[in-house]
PDB file of all heavy atoms in Angstrom:
ATOM      1  N   ARG A 496     -36.436 -25.126  42.399  1.00 76.00           N
ATOM      2  CA  ARG A 496     -35.835 -24.336  41.334  1.00 76.00           C
ATOM      3  C   ARG A 496     -35.836 -22.849  41.683  1.00 76.00           C
ATOM      4  O   ARG A 496     -34.867 -22.124  41.399  1.00 76.00           O
ATOM      5  CB  ARG A 496     -36.576 -24.553  40.015  1.00 76.00           C
ATOM      6  CG  ARG A 496     -36.442 -25.963  39.478  1.00 76.00           C
ATOM      7  CD  ARG A 496     -37.232 -26.135  38.187  1.00 76.00           C
ATOM      8  NE  ARG A 496     -36.706 -25.288  37.132  1.00 76.00           N
ATOM      9  CZ  ARG A 496     -35.694 -25.638  36.328  1.00 76.00           C
ATOM     10  NH1 ARG A 496     -35.104 -26.817  36.489  1.00 76.00           N
ATOM     11  NH2 ARG A 496     -35.275 -24.824  35.391  1.00 76.00           N
ATOM     12  N   ALA A 497     -36.920 -22.368  42.313  1.00 79.00           N
ATOM     13  CA  ALA A 497     -36.977 -20.963  42.713  1.00 79.00           C
ATOM     14  C   ALA A 497     -35.936 -20.660  43.778  1.00 79.00           C
ATOM     15  O   ALA A 497     -35.291 -19.598  43.758  1.00 79.00           O
ATOM     16  CB  ALA A 497     -38.380 -20.617  43.208  1.00 79.00           C
ATOM     17  N   ARG A 498     -35.746 -21.624  44.714  1.00 79.00           N
ATOM     18  CA  ARG A 498     -34.743 -21.406  45.760  1.00 79.00           C
ATOM     19  C   ARG A 498     -33.332 -21.352  45.175  1.00 79.00           C
ATOM     20  O   ARG A 498     -32.530 -20.474  45.516  1.00 79.00           O
ATOM     21  CB  ARG A 498     -34.857 -22.518  46.810  1.00 79.00           C
ATOM     22  CG  ARG A 498     -33.804 -22.438  47.919  1.00 79.00           C
ATOM     23  CD  ARG A 498     -34.024 -23.552  48.932  1.00 79.00           C
ATOM     24  NE  ARG A 498     -34.002 -24.856  48.313  1.00 79.00           N
ATOM     25  CZ  ARG A 498     -32.891 -25.516  47.985  1.00 79.00           C
ATOM     26  NH1 ARG A 498     -31.703 -24.972  48.252  1.00 79.00           N
ATOM     27  NH2 ARG A 498     -32.959 -26.699  47.417  1.00 79.00           N
ATOM     28  N   LEU A 499     -33.037 -22.278  44.299  1.00 78.00           N
ATOM     29  CA  LEU A 499     -31.710 -22.289  43.689  1.00 78.00           C
ATOM     30  C   LEU A 499     -31.490 -21.061  42.803  1.00 78.00           C
ATOM     31  O   LEU A 499     -30.395 -20.498  42.749  1.00 78.00           O
ATOM     32  CB  LEU A 499     -31.521 -23.566  42.873  1.00 78.00           C
ATOM     33  CG  LEU A 499     -31.496 -24.859  43.689  1.00 78.00           C
ATOM     34  CD1 LEU A 499     -31.449 -26.066  42.769  1.00 78.00           C
ATOM     35  CD2 LEU A 499     -30.320 -24.871  44.645  1.00 78.00           C
ATOM     36  N   GLN A 500     -32.550 -20.662  42.113  1.00 77.00           N
ATOM     37  CA  GLN A 500     -32.436 -19.471  41.264  1.00 77.00           C
ATOM     38  C   GLN A 500     -32.183 -18.229  42.101  1.00 77.00           C
ATOM     39  O   GLN A 500     -31.397 -17.350  41.703  1.00 77.00           O
ATOM     40  CB  GLN A 500     -33.717 -19.306  40.444  1.00 77.00           C
ATOM     41  CG  GLN A 500     -33.679 -18.104  39.491  1.00 77.00           C
ATOM     42  CD  GLN A 500     -34.948 -17.992  38.682  1.00 77.00           C
ATOM     43  OE1 GLN A 500     -35.868 -18.795  38.843  1.00 77.00           O
ATOM     44  NE2 GLN A 500     -35.016 -17.000  37.818  1.00 77.00           N
ATOM     45  N   ALA A 501     -32.831 -18.124  43.277  1.00 78.00           N
ATOM     46  CA  ALA A 501     -32.616 -16.974  44.143  1.00 78.00           C
ATOM     47  C   ALA A 501     -31.191 -16.926  44.668  1.00 78.00           C
ATOM     48  O   ALA A 501     -30.647 -15.851  44.941  1.00 78.00           O
ATOM     49  CB  ALA A 501     -33.617 -16.996  45.301  1.00 78.00           C
ATOM     50  N   GLN A 502     -30.552 -18.101  44.816  1.00 76.00           N
ATOM     51  CA  GLN A 502     -29.172 -18.121  45.296  1.00 76.00           C
ATOM     52  C   GLN A 502     -28.170 -17.763  44.192  1.00 76.00           C
ATOM     53  O   GLN A 502     -27.053 -17.350  44.486  1.00 76.00           O
ATOM     54  CB  GLN A 502     -28.851 -19.523  45.846  1.00 76.00           C
ATOM     55  CG  GLN A 502     -29.638 -19.885  47.097  1.00 76.00           C
ATOM     56  CD  GLN A 502     -29.335 -21.292  47.575  1.00 76.00           C
ATOM     57  OE1 GLN A 502     -28.539 -22.012  46.955  1.00 76.00           O
ATOM     58  NE2 GLN A 502     -29.966 -21.703  48.684  1.00 76.00           N
ATOM     59  N   VAL A 503     -28.593 -17.941  42.963  1.00 79.00           N
ATOM     60  CA  VAL A 503     -27.686 -17.654  41.850  1.00 79.00           C
ATOM     61  C   VAL A 503     -27.759 -16.203  41.428  1.00 79.00           C
ATOM     62  O   VAL A 503     -26.747 -15.502  41.337  1.00 79.00           O
ATOM     63  CB  VAL A 503     -27.991 -18.586  40.653  1.00 79.00           C
ATOM     64  CG1 VAL A 503     -27.147 -18.172  39.442  1.00 79.00           C
ATOM     65  CG2 VAL A 503     -27.731 -20.022  41.024  1.00 79.00           C
ATOM     66  N   PHE A 504     -28.972 -15.712  41.156  1.00 74.00           N
ATOM     67  CA  PHE A 504     -29.131 -14.355  40.651  1.00 74.00           C
ATOM     68  C   PHE A 504     -29.176 -13.380  41.825  1.00 74.00           C
ATOM     69  O   PHE A 504     -30.241 -13.037  42.336  1.00 74.00           O
ATOM     70  CB  PHE A 504     -30.409 -14.258  39.812  1.00 74.00           C
ATOM     71  CG  PHE A 504     -30.372 -15.123  38.592  1.00 74.00           C
ATOM     72  CD1 PHE A 504     -31.030 -16.335  38.566  1.00 74.00           C
ATOM     73  CD2 PHE A 504     -29.644 -14.724  37.483  1.00 74.00           C
ATOM     74  CE1 PHE A 504     -30.973 -17.135  37.441  1.00 74.00           C
ATOM     75  CE2 PHE A 504     -29.590 -15.517  36.357  1.00 74.00           C
ATOM     76  CZ  PHE A 504     -30.252 -16.734  36.332  1.00 74.00           C
ATOM     77  N   ARG A 505     -28.016 -12.957  42.286  1.00 76.00           N
ATOM     78  CA  ARG A 505     -27.894 -12.018  43.384  1.00 76.00           C
ATOM     79  C   ARG A 505     -26.775 -11.035  43.043  1.00 76.00           C
ATOM     80  O   ARG A 505     -26.003 -11.262  42.105  1.00 76.00           O
ATOM     81  CB  ARG A 505     -27.564 -12.756  44.693  1.00 76.00           C
ATOM     82  CG  ARG A 505     -26.277 -13.553  44.633  1.00 76.00           C
ATOM     83  CD  ARG A 505     -25.926 -14.107  46.004  1.00 76.00           C
ATOM     84  NE  ARG A 505     -26.968 -14.959  46.530  1.00 76.00           N
ATOM     85  CZ  ARG A 505     -26.939 -15.493  47.729  1.00 76.00           C
ATOM     86  NH1 ARG A 505     -25.898 -15.263  48.527  1.00 76.00           N
ATOM     87  NH2 ARG A 505     -27.925 -16.260  48.153  1.00 76.00           N
ATOM     88  N   PRO A 506     -26.702  -9.926  43.790  1.00 78.00           N
ATOM     89  CA  PRO A 506     -25.636  -8.945  43.485  1.00 78.00           C
ATOM     90  C   PRO A 506     -24.251  -9.560  43.625  1.00 78.00           C
ATOM     91  O   PRO A 506     -24.035 -10.482  44.433  1.00 78.00           O
ATOM     92  CB  PRO A 506     -25.870  -7.834  44.518  1.00 78.00           C
ATOM     93  CG  PRO A 506     -27.306  -7.973  44.901  1.00 78.00           C
ATOM     94  CD  PRO A 506     -27.632  -9.432  44.823  1.00 78.00           C
ATOM     95  N   SER A 507     -23.312  -9.063  42.856  1.00 79.00           N
ATOM     96  CA  SER A 507     -21.951  -9.588  42.902  1.00 79.00           C
ATOM     97  C   SER A 507     -21.217  -9.163  44.168  1.00 79.00           C
ATOM     98  O   SER A 507     -20.226  -9.789  44.530  1.00 79.00           O
ATOM     99  CB  SER A 507     -21.165  -9.098  41.672  1.00 79.00           C
ATOM    100  OG  SER A 507     -21.148  -7.669  41.637  1.00 79.00           O
ATOM    101  N   HIS A 508     -21.690  -8.098  44.861  1.00 82.00           N
ATOM    102  CA  HIS A 508     -21.047  -7.651  46.091  1.00 82.00           C
ATOM    103  C   HIS A 508     -21.793  -8.216  47.300  1.00 82.00           C
ATOM    104  O   HIS A 508     -22.948  -8.651  47.190  1.00 82.00           O
ATOM    105  CB  HIS A 508     -21.053  -6.122  46.168  1.00 82.00           C
ATOM    106  CG  HIS A 508     -22.429  -5.517  46.095  1.00 82.00           C
ATOM    107  ND1 HIS A 508     -23.077  -5.293  44.911  1.00 82.00           N
ATOM    108  CD2 HIS A 508     -23.272  -5.107  47.083  1.00 82.00           C
ATOM    109  CE1 HIS A 508     -24.278  -4.764  45.156  1.00 82.00           C
ATOM    110  NE2 HIS A 508     -24.406  -4.636  46.464  1.00 82.00           N
ATOM    111  N   ARG A 509     -21.129  -8.213  48.458  1.00 83.00           N
ATOM    112  CA  ARG A 509     -21.728  -8.737  49.678  1.00 83.00           C
ATOM    113  C   ARG A 509     -22.693  -7.715  50.279  1.00 83.00           C
ATOM    114  O   ARG A 509     -22.337  -6.545  50.442  1.00 83.00           O
ATOM    115  CB  ARG A 509     -20.650  -9.091  50.693  1.00 83.00           C
ATOM    116  CG  ARG A 509     -19.772 -10.255  50.258  1.00 83.00           C
ATOM    117  CD  ARG A 509     -18.881 -10.709  51.384  1.00 83.00           C
ATOM    118  NE  ARG A 509     -18.092 -11.877  51.001  1.00 83.00           N
ATOM    119  CZ  ARG A 509     -17.299 -12.542  51.824  1.00 83.00           C
ATOM    120  NH1 ARG A 509     -17.161 -12.108  53.086  1.00 83.00           N
ATOM    121  NH2 ARG A 509     -16.630 -13.596  51.405  1.00 83.00           N
ATOM    122  N   LEU A 510     -23.877  -8.158  50.632  1.00 82.00           N
ATOM    123  CA  LEU A 510     -24.876  -7.268  51.205  1.00 82.00           C
ATOM    124  C   LEU A 510     -24.668  -7.144  52.714  1.00 82.00           C
ATOM    125  O   LEU A 510     -24.190  -8.082  53.379  1.00 82.00           O
ATOM    126  CB  LEU A 510     -26.270  -7.807  50.911  1.00 82.00           C
ATOM    127  CG  LEU A 510     -26.636  -7.912  49.426  1.00 82.00           C
ATOM    128  CD1 LEU A 510     -28.015  -8.542  49.272  1.00 82.00           C
ATOM    129  CD2 LEU A 510     -26.586  -6.564  48.748  1.00 82.00           C
ATOM    130  N   PRO A 511     -25.024  -6.001  53.351  1.00 87.00           N
ATOM    131  CA  PRO A 511     -24.856  -5.822  54.811  1.00 87.00           C
ATOM    132  C   PRO A 511     -25.811  -6.712  55.587  1.00 87.00           C
ATOM    133  O   PRO A 511     -26.926  -7.000  55.152  1.00 87.00           O
ATOM    134  CB  PRO A 511     -25.167  -4.330  55.013  1.00 87.00           C
ATOM    135  CG  PRO A 511     -26.022  -3.955  53.849  1.00 87.00           C
ATOM    136  CD  PRO A 511     -25.556  -4.783  52.686  1.00 87.00           C
ATOM    137  N   THR A 512     -25.381  -7.164  56.775  1.00 88.00           N
ATOM    138  CA  THR A 512     -26.204  -8.030  57.634  1.00 88.00           C
ATOM    139  C   THR A 512     -26.771  -7.300  58.843  1.00 88.00           C
ATOM    140  O   THR A 512     -27.559  -7.885  59.586  1.00 88.00           O
ATOM    141  CB  THR A 512     -25.351  -9.216  58.124  1.00 88.00           C
ATOM    142  OG1 THR A 512     -24.212  -8.710  58.824  1.00 88.00           O
ATOM    143  CG2 THR A 512     -24.879 -10.051  56.939  1.00 88.00           C
ATOM    144  N   MET A 513     -26.367  -6.048  59.101  1.00 92.00           N
ATOM    145  CA  MET A 513     -26.889  -5.267  60.222  1.00 92.00           C
ATOM    146  C   MET A 513     -26.781  -3.790  59.887  1.00 92.00           C
ATOM    147  O   MET A 513     -26.007  -3.397  58.984  1.00 92.00           O
ATOM    148  CB  MET A 513     -26.126  -5.593  61.523  1.00 92.00           C
ATOM    149  CG  MET A 513     -24.656  -5.225  61.474  1.00 92.00           C
ATOM    150  SD  MET A 513     -23.802  -5.577  63.042  1.00 92.00           S
ATOM    151  CE  MET A 513     -23.883  -7.350  63.064  1.00 92.00           C
ATOM    152  N   THR A 514     -27.508  -2.982  60.640  1.00 93.00           N
ATOM    153  CA  THR A 514     -27.453  -1.533  60.444  1.00 93.00           C
ATOM    154  C   THR A 514     -26.227  -0.960  61.147  1.00 93.00           C
ATOM    155  O   THR A 514     -25.551  -1.654  61.926  1.00 93.00           O
ATOM    156  CB  THR A 514     -28.728  -0.872  60.978  1.00 93.00           C
ATOM    157  OG1 THR A 514     -28.796  -1.090  62.402  1.00 93.00           O
ATOM    158  CG2 THR A 514     -29.972  -1.451  60.322  1.00 93.00           C
TER     159      THR A 514
END
Side-chain angles (χ1 to χ4, degrees):
R496 294 178 64 86
R498 177 178 57 80
L499 294 174
Q500 182 179 1
Q502 294 178 359
V503 174
F504 297 101
R505 59 173 59 184
S507 58
H508 58 277
R509 293 189 177 185
L510 298 177
T512 58
M513 63 178 67
T514 64

